[in-house]
Amino acid sequence: MSKGIANKSTWLLIMLILVGAVLGSFIGNLADGVPALSWLNFGKAFGLSSPLVLDLAVISITFGLTIHFSIASIIGIVLAILIYRLI
């Protein structure tokens, strides 16, 4: 059988993308102190700036999510997808 994209695990792709985003963000934070590489940490954060609280008297649920994308994390995601296609 051929080793095509249809035979690959979706979970592997998701894990590689998450690892690529985390490593990219880490590298972007490290590069922030270097003047020539500070552009890697340029990005935008979006989401709920303050958590949303749902109080039902019996139970209280707090919702909150903020996502920060930087140039380095996007590069990490692209590299993760390329590695997935090579496997």
Side-chain angles (χ1 to χ4, degrees):
M1 297 210 119
S2 68
K3 195 172 186 184
I5 293 177
N7 294 337
K8 295 181 184 175
S9 172
T10 306
W11 289 109
L12 177 63
L13 176 62
I14 292 170
M15 290 301 284
L16 282 174
I17 288 174
L18 288 175
V19 167
V22 169
L23 285 177
S25 293
F26 180 70
I27 291 171
N29 285 335
L30 288 178
D32 195 29
V34 180
L37 298 175
S38 63
W39 59 274
L40 286 172
N41 203 28
F42 177 76
K44 182 70 177 161
F46 59 93
L48 296 172
S49 58
S50 61
L52 176 68
V53 178
L54 177 63
D55 188 6
L56 300 174
V58 175
I59 188 170
S60 178
I61 304 172
T62 304
F63 299 99
L65 177 68
T66 302
I67 298 175
H68 180 263
F69 280 112
S70 66
I71 300 294
S73 65
I74 293 172
I75 291 171
I77 291 170
V78 169
L79 287 175
I81 292 171
L82 289 174
I83 290 170
Y84 177 75
R85 291 188 62 107
L86 291 176
I87 295 176

